[in-house]
Amino acid sequence: MARPPQGQQHPGRQLAVLGLIFIILYLVAFFGFGAKGPISERLHPKLGLDLIGGTQATYVASLESNGQAPSQASMEEARRIIESRVNALGVSEAEVVIEGNRNIVVSLAGEGNDELKNVGQAAQMRFRKVLQATGDVAAQAINPPQPSAAPSAPAPGASGGAPSAPAPPAPSGGSGGQGGGELEKAPAPSTPPSAPASAAPAPAPSPSGSAEPVPADKKALIAQVEKKVGPAIYAAAAKLTAPVDLQTNPTAGKQFAPFNTLSGPEVNALSPQMQYFVPTISCDQLNGRPNGAIDDAKSQVTTCQSGAKMLLDVAKVVGTDIATASPQLDQQQGQWVVSLDFTSAGQAKWTALTREAFTPASGDTCLTAAQAVSSGATHCLVAVVLDKEIISAPEIQGVLSGQSQITGQFTPVSARELANQIKYGALPVTFEPATAQTVSATLGIEQLEAGLLAAGIGMALVAIYAFFYYRLLGTVIFLSLILSGLLTFAALVALGRSTGFTLTLAGIAGFIVSLGVAADSFVIYFERLKDEIHEGRSPRSAVPRAWARARRTIISANTITIMAAVVLYVVSVGVVQGFAFALGLSTILDLVVVFLFRHPIMTLFANTKAFLSPRVSGLGRVLKNATTDEPVKGRRVKEA
């Protein structure tokens, strides 16, 4: 007597493996990846925006210099970069779409998505040498202190009656933006920062680069500013070649008081030198300039750090010179840093810039960390500028020829946000600050209820038909679908907590479609079993032979479905990716159930008396003809 195919003699082992998979998956779902709270919360998959609501942020693109909306190509590139930044935050199923010709809408499921506020920032990084710095003395310039009626001469060594301008902050302190800090070579130099610089004006730097034609809209703004402040005052401001010295003449800045009434766009129309030299232009006005106001790498710019106005040189290193950026925990300092690796060309530029700042040539003008005679400091500051903000302005204390770090008051979240902004590049379009709103899930819940009702009715019809047509074999179908559902549910919980996979209506549709694939594998196996009995084999020997022939077809069919899901996942975005992922996941789990449950349980059933009964087994007339030893297709039943 021939023996059944090898590998099918121990169905209990396969069932034990399936049980082990169940135990591992549900242990992960209950206790893994930070699970906490009651059981109902631990066994709760991460649901999408259309099921539980969430946050929706809208970014409005700024008009270009000609007054036109950005091109569709620029908007599409911006959408792609924003989507990459959102996905890098550890969320998934984020929907990033272009709405109209200027809006990009980002939708995320759940509450508390504060990280959306930064994904639309332009993230134009520039490294600029600090040429000059002075305090934000706008109020003092407008309302200078009045001398007393009979002032006495200051005693020898006294500082005089005029108040001095506030000094800029020391570079080692925290600054605004993404946590502030220093830019340093890894490991950080141990030289302590010098004392803050004084407000004494340095010689005016000469504008670099060739003069470019002034756009028509900028000419109109300049004419508007000149009319607003007065032609005489504007002409006097245009002639300034150095910051107004309020120490020796406290009233010298009062004539420039009208400049304090300018708006951010109007201030932006002025030259960087005028923005810096006019004392009544405040940091609040400079911060109110449009996004992208100081992005031009070929021109000098004026900006602020912690209340100090700074005139910065042209950008000799830019964000595209950085190969990658990553958040890291400095083990020595115990602080989070953003590590920067430069490209080959970028590393050469960065080394040249730090060499220039560390050993300035004779006659070079730059702000040192301490200009007091007693300090003897001679090194320049280099400002790290992200969009309109200086995130760090350290004194360069060495030539940096390798990996560098931005250090400061970073948290894990802020370090990751800054690294992602640098890593995923600058947006080709600047955006106005995002407006966020809460999205209700009422419609999604109604659709979910309707979908689950339809799925329940469909499953009930499938179960009724399976029991009617296959009887005992219908029990195998029913149990297999239940096990597949339990495996899928545990996988959803674990993936939602570990990778951020979010279940949406599209994902549910993918799981429902996979039921058809599972049903196909049942039909293939059971019909192959009938064919084996038709050919004259007993049910007991027909089961392993039918499996040996049917499994190749089942594997081929499921492999094609998985390949289609993978291709769809790669070439699509948003909810379509969710559909493809759900379809592929459920198909893989169906294969697990086919190999570790369906065939082993059929092997066990084949050894029972019920399986040999035509009324119970579901093999019906085929088995009846075989057991009565009647001719079936010209053959008699015999043991294989």
Side-chain angles (χ1 to χ4, degrees), residues 351-420:
T351 301
L353 177 59
T354 56
R355 181 180 292 110
E356 176 185 338
F358 183 64
T359 57
S362 177
D364 279 0
T365 301
C366 67
L367 176 72
T368 61
Q371 292 177 328
V373 176
S374 59
S375 69
T378 58
H379 310 314
C380 298
L381 305 182
V382 170
V384 185
V385 185
L386 184 68
D387 300 330
K388 294 187 298 181
E389 296 180 351
I390 296 178
I391 61 175
S392 180
E395 178 184 358
I396 300 300
Q397 298 180 345
V399 179
L400 307 182
S401 57
Q403 186 186 68
S404 300
Q405 294 176 343
I406 300 177
T407 66
Q409 306 300 319
F410 285 115
T411 64
V413 174
S414 63
R416 183 182 63 179
E417 288 177 355
L418 177 57
N420 288 339

Side-chain angles (χ1 to χ4, degrees), residues 2-28:
R3 297 176 62 84
Q6 294 298 317
Q8 310 301 335
Q9 303 300 313
H10 304 286
R13 295 180 181 177
Q14 294 163 300
L15 294 175
V17 172
L18 181 62
L20 181 62
I21 293 175
F22 262 93
I23 293 173
I24 293 175
L25 262 181
Y26 275 89
L27 283 177
V28 171

